[in-house]
Amino acid sequence: MTTVADPAAALHFRFATQEDVNAIVALVESAYRGDVSKQGWTTEADLLDGQRTDPDGVAAIIADAHSRIILAERDGELLCTAHIEKQGEAAYFGMFAVNPAKQGGGTGKAMLAEAERVARELWGCRRMEMTVITVRESLIAWYLRRGYQRTGVRKPFPYGDERFGLPRRDDLEFEILSKPLA
């Protein structure tokens, strides 16, 4: 794929393979759940317990012809992952995780730009969409600064489905954010 320079060193982007499943699960879990995730600002540990993903789910995404998991590495170290899925003229963006100890250095911003480029060039997608938990205002603000817009479309949180975590509060819901990929 591509290599992008950041202030510290070059990032190398590539598509994940089945051999990457365990590393992806470990990174995603470390970025969203438990005490390790609290090193970064994207943690959901105060909102959700339980898992964020699992090996079977990641393996299924990698096997899906309409999905890609993009990995960002530096010097062979996995720093960031993101999932994109073709959904008609839109691409869905999710499972975005940056190593908590390395957040704030531009890796996430570079990954988001790479995911948008891949969706546009690989599938001809005209927009990127994602769902974000509405109480995560600092994360929503981060996406807004990168050109995403709040759509006002809300979706219920899947309470009772442990594959998405164990909620610590009863007011969770998602909002769809969208950005044109012109």
Side-chain angles (χ1 to χ4, degrees), residues 14-102:
R14 67 178 178 88
F15 294 139
T17 67
Q18 293 296 333
E19 290 75 32
D20 298 307
V21 168
N22 290 333
I24 293 166
V25 171
L27 176 61
V28 171
E29 292 299 314
S30 74
Y32 287 97
R33 300 289 193 268
D35 289 335
V36 172
S37 71
K38 293 178 181 179
Q39 294 177 37
W41 67 275
T42 62
T43 183
E44 293 175 346
D46 294 331
L47 303 174
L48 298 157
D49 290 320
Q51 72 178 29
R52 179 67 158 72
T53 191
D54 60 50
D56 291 340
V58 172
I61 290 169
I62 292 171
D64 184 338
H66 299 290
S67 288
R68 298 290 186 277
I69 294 179
I70 304 169
L71 306 179
E73 300 171 319
R74 180 180 300 123
D75 299 325
E77 179 186 8
L78 178 59
L79 298 180
C80 185
T81 184
H83 167 225
I84 57 173
E85 179 180 328
K86 182 173 179 14
Q87 298 180 344
E89 290 189 354
Y92 178 80
F93 178 82
M95 204 167 50
F96 184 33
V98 178
N99 177 322
K102 309 232 171 142

Side-chain angles (χ1 to χ4, degrees), residues 117-136:
R117 183 196 69 76
V118 170
R120 187 176 51 251
E121 293 180 9
L122 180 64
W123 296 317
C125 291
R126 301 176 75 161
R127 71 183 180 283
M128 186 76 84
E129 294 180 345
M130 66 182 71
T131 55
V132 180
I133 297 173
T134 56
V135 297
R136 300 201 57 214

